[in-house]
Amino acid sequence: MAGPDPASRAADNAAAQISALQELKRSQTPVEAKLDTTLLVAKRGAEAAGRGLRAAVPALQTGVPADKVTVDIRGSASPDLLGHLRKAGAEIRAVSEHYGSVRAEIPVSAIESIAARKDVKFVEPAVGAMTARQLATPADDKAKKPGKDDKAKQVAERTRQALSVKAEPVVSEGDRAHNADKARQQFGVTGVGVKICALSDGIDSLAASQAAGELPAVDVLPGEAGSGDEGTAMLEIIHDLAPNARLGYATAFRSDASFADNIRKLRFDAKCDIIVDDVIYFKESVFQDWIIAQAVNDVTADGALYFSSAGNEGNVGDGTSAHWEGDFVDSGLAVGKWAGTAHNFAGANGVQIYQPISDASSRNIPVLLNWSDPIGASANDYDLYLLDRNGNVVSASQNFQDGTQDPYERVQTPLAGGTGLRLAIVKFKGENRYLSLSALRSRFKDTAGVLTAYTTPGEIFGHAAAKNAFAVAAAPAADAFGRDLEPGDPANPAGPFPGSFGPGSQVERFTSDGPRRIIYHADGTQITPGNVSSTGGEVRQKPDLTAADGVATTVPGFERFYGTSAAAPHAAAIAGLVLSGNPGLAPADVREALMNTSVDIAQAGFDNRAGAGILVADRVLGYTGASPQPLAKAQAPTVRANDGGNFLDPGDTATVTLPVTNRGDGLAASTSVVLTSPTAGVTISPRSKYYGSIDKGQTAVNNFTLTVPAGHPLGTPVVLDAKVTFAGSQSPTTARFPVKIGQPSTVVHDFAYTGGPLAIPDNDPTGVTVPVEVSGIGPASRVTFSIDGTQCTTDQGATGVGIDHTFVGDLVGTLRSPTGATATLFSGNGSNGNNMCKVVFDDTAAQAFRGVVADQAPYTGSWRPNQPLEGVLGAADGTWTLHLRDTAGQDTGSLRAFSLHVSGFVTAGS
């Protein structure tokens, strides 16, 4: 007698297990409804009553550890919430007041009490992210990776080698393939006057790249260097193509909200003209601009250009994607006992409620379900299940949506993958909606004779799909990508190097396709009121452009850098050349130039794999009429009292010697300076002076006469404003210089911290803040700051040092004056060296602390701070604060002793 049909057994098994999970959903309390499915299953499973659930769904994996879990808490970032979290035993990892989000590592036992707070809307496992790097060999999750200390030692050794032996520079093949080398020579444009900033995982090897001459100074947001090296590789690419552009950086990997915060900081604080990233967070919305895309909208509205990797999730044209989207089709099949019907992927072609995942690319894959409800206001409840071929539920996401939640569910395939894995979408309740299902870096693939794979274009999502962002696809510059994406795949394309890109160039087979349909405005209102289906909203044509990957860098692990992670910085650098040769060119005009001059590849015209085509630098610079631009800027003046005194006093007249340097690519002709002061009663004569023509790299000097009124307050600086005009689009440039008035006192007043040791919270952005009261000074003429100590050693936990902390490079120290002015003393300096003791931060010190290395620990002596302490001069009396922040895990320590050293001004009779 024949046994039961295996397919029937699997269907019955699936129905029984989904029924058990739906019963869990139906039994949730209002507080539990604020927990992600995986957290709820972990919580219930840990309880005595959870044995039945574990037995009913034996293969279910949550990925939630038994003791502590890192979560994103949505709704608030208030001090009260942070206090509650700490009392509950949580460790804070990221805080965004702007977006009301906190990332914290919390005890599993505390999840429910946190969710019970009124200011908490939702608690979910920390949203994952990935860069758009394509690995030449598949990632080995079991391979031992170098630890933090080992990585620091490797970087230190490479830095020493680079300083002792100057190697030949390594230049991205994209420089040649994009004709950027030719464009710089032909148009005389190098990136001068433009600041290009990157966001990625980290810049661990920055010091080694700088020592090798591969990178100049990089403006890193304090405490935001991150961990990893993809950012270093991206910066090397940018510098290869736009060698005189200024560079900046911030990590994107603290949390999704911190990524959005850092996008804004790079524009509004660091003044970046162009921003580029290679990161996608899994929760980024498909049908509406979420917080990261909204941050991109903020900076592009302010005039910045934004470039992002299109992604390596594949495309329909090459048969490499795992993406489907379309309207919900009721299969008429109930999956589970309690509620809901399964989506029919086959549509008019029959009935199929499962979407098959390729066995060959099923390892540790995030699978995302989105539907066309507004963010934070979904009233239609869809659930997502991952099952094996026997009908066992392997992963489930069935969060409540009842009007205040996000239209989003996510499951994860097993770490080791599986055979016959498939996905089911269940409408638990509500209206039919437009759906998007993506298994990132996998494929939907037919299961012979069992299931048919259904795919559609539109893999690109999230902030790369923001309206004014450039989503950048990848094409090889040189050698073909070195492995099949899946066994039996066609050969990967090769690039033109040492030639340049042309019509015959091909996109990488893994590059993600578009377009992207958007249903809602960023504020949640419908773009096409009443139509949120597959015919509603607007269609954004993505990707926008294509640029090079498969290029060389000096960064370990990125010696051959593939993926749209490598393409995006090439595009950003070419845009930097455009702005450098056409200062002030409007973003819309830059877009027009890039799109209209790209070489059409793939399908004729704009297509959903290559966009407008592949960038060629000399074509775009010719289109815009780029030319070498001068950039004349005033430098710090020398001020000498005309009475021969060493100091400038109220009532004095002085000579101001003001240098102007041309740091641009072209001659600064007809250069003149207008020197004024907003300080009451101050006169400057003459008001303007002609500096003539200043060749690039040269400096010209002129003198002005400054008169300070007799009644000017002692210790209050006179402010000089210099406006430099010259023949060029960068004209005018402005600079402000403070001039001290009065004789600085030689008396130094010391104000020491006298409390006990203070633990520095590990990997916690809130850190520790310590006040010091200063009185009896008046205006400050000079400030130095010291980390004190009595006995200097590298011993862990040493009590005689000022800061005992392993891996000092984890720390950021910031001094704030009573006026609110701040100066970063140190940030990510010192690598894996231990302890600071008898360290004096002094603007006049010979060496900068940013250059210290581990061999110099314990750190002692005089050093220049990362930001000048002159910036905190002003009214000294009041409360000063030292804020210490630990930016990475594992290493800990305490603040024990520090002092503030302040001098005032000599007053009459003193």
Side-chain angles (χ1 to χ4, degrees):
M1 181 185 243
D5 176 35
S8 177
R9 285 202 312 269
D12 292 344
N13 195 27
Q17 294 194 21
I18 291 176
S19 292
L21 289 167
Q22 288 184 334
E23 172 59 22
L24 171 69
K25 182 169 182 173
R26 291 173 71 247
S27 68
Q28 286 178 227
T29 67
V31 170
E32 289 177 328
K34 294 161 70 174
L35 298 176
D36 180 83
T37 301
T38 55
L39 298 179
L40 176 62
V41 170
K43 170 189 171 294
R44 289 282 191 94
E47 299 168 350
R51 286 194 294 269
L53 176 64
R54 294 194 298 273
V57 198
L60 184 66
Q61 302 174 13
T62 66
V64 178
D67 50 356
K68 277 193 165 187
V69 59
T70 303
V71 298
D72 286 324
I73 302 164
R74 312 294 187 178
S76 172
S78 67
D80 185 61
L81 173 60
L82 298 180
H84 177 98
L85 292 174
R86 290 194 180 92
K87 289 178 182 177
E91 298 174 35
I92 311 299
R93 297 291 177 249
V95 177
S96 174
E97 295 180 5
H98 189 87
Y99 297 105
S101 182
V102 177
R103 178 164 289 190
E105 187 177 352
I106 65 174
V108 173
S109 59
I111 290 174
E112 193 165 11
S113 70
I114 293 168
R117 289 178 58 96
K118 291 182 179 179
D119 56 355
V120 172
K121 293 181 179 179
F122 195 63
V123 183
E124 60 189 322
V127 173
M130 62 184 179
T131 67
R133 176 193 182 192
Q134 192 74 4
L135 294 171
T137 56
D140 184 356
D141 298 303
K142 297 180 181 179
K144 185 178 179 181
K145 298 178 181 178
K148 182 176 159 186
D149 195 60
D150 291 336
K151 182 70 180 286
K153 290 176 181 177
Q154 293 169 8
V155 172
E157 178 57 30
R158 292 202 312 276
T159 302
R160 279 192 289 269
Q161 292 177 359
L163 290 171
S164 61
V165 180
K166 287 296 181 185
E168 286 295 314
V170 173
V171 178
S172 163
E173 289 87 347
D175 187 48
R176 174 78 288 281
H178 282 295
N179 275 354
D181 54 354
K182 176 182 175 183
R184 290 193 305 274
Q185 182 179 29
Q186 179 179 348
F187 295 95
V189 172
T190 64
V192 160
V194 179
K195 187 172 185 180
I196 308 175
C197 300
L199 297 118
S200 188
D201 56 358
I203 47 172
D204 291 347
S205 293
L206 177 61
S209 291
Q210 289 172 326
E214 296 290 339
L215 281 175
V218 177
D219 181 14
V220 183
L221 291 184
E224 299 301 314
S227 177
D229 251 333
E230 201 148 330
T232 316
M234 292 174 69
L235 290 169
E236 283 197 6
I237 289 170
I238 295 168
H239 185 61
D240 285 345
L241 272 69
N244 285 331
R246 291 171 294 137
L247 303 179
Y249 181 80
T251 184
F253 267 72
R254 294 205 177 280
S255 72
D256 44 33
S258 292
F259 179 21
D261 282 335
N262 280 348
I263 290 171
R264 291 172 53 84
K265 288 176 183 176
L266 285 176
R267 175 59 178 178
F268 300 116
D269 296 347
K271 308 302 180 186
C272 303
D273 301 297
I274 299 172
I275 304 173
V276 57
D277 81 80
D278 67 337
V279 176
I280 186 70
Y281 270 85
F282 304 149
K283 198 177 180 179
E284 293 195 56
S285 178
V286 172
F287 301 123
Q288 181 182 346
D289 288 344
W290 191 48
I291 58 175
I292 300 170
Q294 289 173 25
V296 172
N297 294 343
D298 290 343
V299 302
T300 54
D302 191 60
L305 299 174
Y306 200 98
F307 292 81
S308 186
S309 301
N312 306 341
E313 282 66 64
N315 60 81
V316 171
D318 285 309
T320 53
S321 74
H323 176 77
W324 172 89
E325 60 186 75
D327 294 322
F328 176 81
V329 177
D330 193 332
S331 66
L333 300 178
V335 178
K337 176 180 179 181
W338 302 107
T341 55
H343 169 67
N344 177 20
F345 287 97
N349 297 322
V351 177
Q352 179 180 304
I353 64 171
Y354 295 119
Q355 177 78 278
I357 293 177
S358 172
D359 295 345
S361 55
S362 63
R363 297 173 59 238
N364 200 27
I365 298 297
V367 184
L368 318 176
L369 172 65
N370 289 261
W371 59 96
S372 57
D373 276 346
I375 297 169
S378 178
N380 301 290
D381 196 341
Y382 286 83
D383 298 324
L384 179 62
Y385 300 95
L386 174 71
L387 304 98
D388 65 18
R389 60 184 176 181
N390 297 316
N392 295 306
V393 178
V394 177
S395 183
S397 185
Q398 51 177 34
N399 299 319
F400 262 115
Q401 283 87 24
D402 59 10
T404 61
Q405 296 86 7
D406 296 328
Y408 167 79
E409 304 285 353
R410 181 178 75 84
V411 297
Q412 192 88 13
T413 66
L415 193 63
T419 302
L421 295 177
R422 70 246 357 236
L423 298 157
I425 300 171
V426 175
K427 184 178 70 172
F428 189 75
K429 66 178 179 64
E431 302 297 325
N432 292 352
R433 286 293 181 260
Y434 185 47
L435 309 177
S436 168
L437 181 68
S438 291
L440 305 184
R441 307 280 172 91
S442 183
R443 290 185 192 175
F444 293 149
K445 191 172 184 179
D446 293 351
T447 304
V450 180
L451 296 173
T452 300
Y454 292 93
T455 59
T456 62
E459 189 76 76
I460 296 171
F461 72 103
H463 66 279
K467 190 170 186 177
N468 291 318
F470 293 91
V472 185
D479 295 339
F481 184 61
R483 67 175 174 88
D484 291 344
L485 302 180
E486 283 201 3
D489 271 7
N492 294 310
F497 183 83
S500 58
F501 287 121
S505 297
Q506 299 178 57
V507 295
E508 296 282 15
R509 299 185 67 254
F510 52 71
T511 199
S512 295
D513 62 5
R516 170 57 24 233
R517 183 175 296 276
I518 300 293
I519 303 295
Y520 292 91
H521 295 294
D523 63 4
T525 57
Q526 295 178 12
I527 294 174
T528 52
N531 184 0
V532 295
S533 72
S534 57
T535 60
E538 67 180 17
V539 175
R540 295 177 182 171
Q541 297 299 333
K542 298 288 176 175
D544 298 88
L545 300 161
T546 302
D549 80 333
V551 300
T553 80
T554 67
V555 182
F558 296 85
E559 292 90 350
R560 188 57 54 183
F561 189 7
Y562 285 95
T564 55
S565 282
H570 282 96
I574 292 170
L577 294 178
V578 172
L579 286 184
S580 180
N582 303 270
L585 193 65
D589 293 330
V590 177
R591 175 174 285 274
E592 175 191 309
L594 295 177
M595 304 289 277
N596 286 355
T597 61
S598 294
V599 175
D600 192 12
I601 62 172
Q603 299 170 0
F606 192 100
D607 67 81
N608 70 349
R609 290 185 298 159
I614 197 158
L615 289 168
V616 180
D618 58 333
R619 286 170 57 124
V620 67
L621 292 185
Y623 184 93
T624 61
S627 60
Q629 297 292 316
L631 183 60
K633 289 189 173 183
Q635 307 302 306
T638 301
V639 182
R640 295 182 178 85
N642 289 350
D643 63 4
N646 293 324
F647 312 103
L648 190 60
D649 296 314
D652 278 357
T653 298
T655 297
V656 178
T657 302
L658 183 70
V660 173
T661 300
N662 178 13
R663 302 191 184 280
D665 290 325
L667 176 72
S670 303
T671 303
S672 63
V673 172
V674 173
L675 189 64
T676 59
S677 175
T679 307
V682 170
T683 61
I684 298 173
S685 178
R687 180 177 178 273
S688 65
K689 278 211 168 180
Y690 181 65
Y691 279 64
S693 294
I694 308 174
D695 207 349
K696 63 178 183 179
Q698 300 302 306
T699 299
V701 175
N702 261 318
N703 291 331
F704 298 80
T705 300
L706 167 68
T707 302
V708 182
H712 186 82
L714 187 69
T716 300
V718 164
V719 174
L720 302 180
D721 286 333
K723 182 169 76 170
V724 183
T725 58
F726 49 94
S729 299
Q730 300 272 19
S731 175
T733 62
T734 59
R736 172 164 284 188
F737 306 104
V739 178
K740 291 180 183 178
I741 303 299
Q743 179 179 348
S745 174
T746 58
V747 177
V748 179
H749 300 266
D750 301 321
F751 301 90
Y753 168 67
T754 57
L758 294 170
I760 304 168
D762 187 34
N763 194 19
D764 184 337
T766 62
V768 60
T769 300
V770 189
V772 173
E773 296 298 327
V774 171
S775 61
I777 303 296
S781 65
R782 175 173 162 78
V783 173
T784 62
F785 182 88
S786 62
I787 303 294
D788 300 324
T790 57
Q791 186 174 1
C792 299
T793 172
T794 58
D795 293 346
Q796 186 172 346
T799 59
V801 300
I803 293 178
D804 75 273
H805 198 286
T806 54
F807 216 106
V808 167
D810 285 355
L811 299 179
V812 180
T814 304
L815 182 67
R816 180 181 292 271
S817 78
T819 66
T822 62
T824 300
L825 304 170
F826 48 90
S827 178
N829 313 123
S831 188
N832 60 328
N834 294 354
N835 303 343
M836 299 175 71
C837 178
K838 300 181 181 179
V839 178
V840 178
F841 290 97
D842 184 342
D843 288 350
T844 65
Q847 293 182 300
F849 193 73
R850 67 173 69 248
V852 297
V853 295
D855 290 347
Q856 293 170 288
Y859 303 109
T860 64
S862 292
W863 303 88
R864 291 195 311 278
N866 282 21
Q867 293 178 336
L869 286 165
E870 184 177 11
V872 298
L873 296 182
D877 296 337
T879 303
W880 294 68
T881 59
L882 172 66
H883 181 262
L884 285 182
R885 168 188 172 191
D886 185 320
T887 65
Q890 302 177 7
D891 293 273
T892 58
S894 300
L895 171 64
R896 296 179 177 275
F898 70 89
S899 299
L900 188 66
H901 313 282
V902 187
S903 297
F905 287 86
V906 175
T907 58
S910 64

